Amino acid sequence: MRHGIVVVGAGGHAKVCVELLQAMGEKVAYCVGGVDSPDMCVGIPVLKGDAHLESLRQVGYSRLFVAIGSNSLRARLSAVATDQGYQLMNAISPHAVISPSARLGAGIAVMAGAIINAEAEIDDLAIINTGATVDHDCKIGKAAHIAPQTSLAGNVTIGALSFLGVGCKVIPGIQIGEQATVGAGGVVISNICDGATVVGVPARTIKQ
Ligand SMILES: CC(C)(COP(=O)(O)OP(=O)(O)OC[C@H]1O[C@@H](n2cnc3c(N)ncnc32)[C@H](O)[C@@H]1OP(=O)(O)O)[C@@H](O)C(=O)NCCC(=O)NCCS
């Protein structure tokens, strides 16, 4: 018998990802949450504590999706799970539009209404959230998060672990470094350094 998918996380992002996986025709067996997690996550039983990852692996579960919004925590728990022998699944909405020439990594989430255009590259563990658009030749780094309704024009590069808040716009060819943050609604018209936080229209740096 094929085991269902184990979802790590039991919060709001996990709710969406569980339903994405189900919309793909997958069965989600369990969510694995923290000690304070609710008992159920959109109808899926929640096991509390990361120790459950090892015990589920031992009884044959091998497919896993990390549904945690924090980029750094998502990357860390994915590394733990792959070390335990889990395969990272993708959760891709049937209502997303993805170019056949786009390249997708492992463990990524693409929500409903998202569009990924020609020859874009989405690295492992990235989130392309609801209604976000990633245009041609963009490169989205590992465990980056493009929040709902954010739009990237062509040839934009987003570094690993960076976060673009809800409703951002980025003009063509911009390079955003690693672990950078763009505040909700920001319009990015110049390159952004690693680790910087920028906000506003046009975006200005508030933290280096
Ligand atoms: C950018 C952000 C991360 C900053 O958070 P923070 O480090 O806690 O910063 P603060 O709230 O202390 O704000 C610092 C300053 O930036 C301003 N600021 C914060 N976010 C801003 C935004 N999105 N646009 C414009 N100005 C913003 C604040 O008004 C404040 O200005 P002041 O110093 O003149 O008072 C946060 O405000 C934000 O926009 N998060 C996006 C959340 C989101 O989209 N989540 C989607 C989940 S799917």
Side-chain angles (χ1 to χ4, degrees):
M1 190 195 77
R2 194 173 194 223
H3 287 78
I5 295 175
V6 175
V7 167
V8 180
H13 181 61
K15 291 180 184 178
V16 179
C17 293
V18 165
E19 291 186 349
L20 287 185
L21 291 163
Q22 291 170 334
M24 294 167 69
E26 296 286 0
K27 177 175 166 22
V28 177
Y30 296 105
C31 291
V32 175
V35 285
D36 298 330
S37 293
D39 295 335
M40 301 288 280
C41 177
V42 284
I44 305 298
V46 177
L47 305 175
K48 299 181 187 184
D50 293 348
H52 288 288
L53 291 179
E54 183 65 44
S55 44
L56 289 170
R57 186 72 195 97
Q58 281 167 9
V59 297
Y61 289 88
S62 62
R63 299 182 307 142
L64 176 139
F65 184 83
V66 181
I68 290 181
S70 158
N71 290 344
S72 54
L73 188 54
R74 187 168 67 261
R76 189 168 66 75
L77 289 176
S78 298
V80 168
T82 49
D83 283 351
Q84 291 171 339
Y86 281 104
Q87 176 193 1
L88 297 179
M89 309 303 293
N90 285 341
I92 298 181
S93 171
H95 303 292
V97 177
I98 300 179
S99 159
S101 60
R103 287 183 287 280
L104 306 183
I108 70 167
V110 183
M111 277 43 171
I115 299 176
I116 299 174
N117 268 341
E119 298 198 337
E121 293 178 18
I122 314 295
D123 205 344
D124 298 346
L125 310 177
I127 300 170
I128 311 300
N129 218 317
T130 310
T133 62
V134 175
D135 223 301
H136 65 87
D137 302 299
C138 284
K139 291 184 171 56
I140 309 300
K142 186 172 180 179
H145 180 177
I146 311 301
Q149 302 297 339
T150 282
S151 297
L152 311 183
N155 284 302
V156 168
T157 299
I158 309 289
L161 297 162
S162 287
F163 170 65
L164 277 69
V166 66
C168 296
K169 311 283 177 205
V170 184
I171 67 169
I174 290 291
Q175 299 196 2
I176 294 181
E178 298 187 356
Q179 300 187 55
T181 300
V182 182
V187 175
V188 181
I189 60 168
S190 54
N191 294 344
I192 296 174
C193 306
D194 291 350
T197 298
V198 303
V199 299
V201 182
R204 62 187 166 83
T205 302
I206 57 168
K207 282 180 205 156
Q208 285 292 353

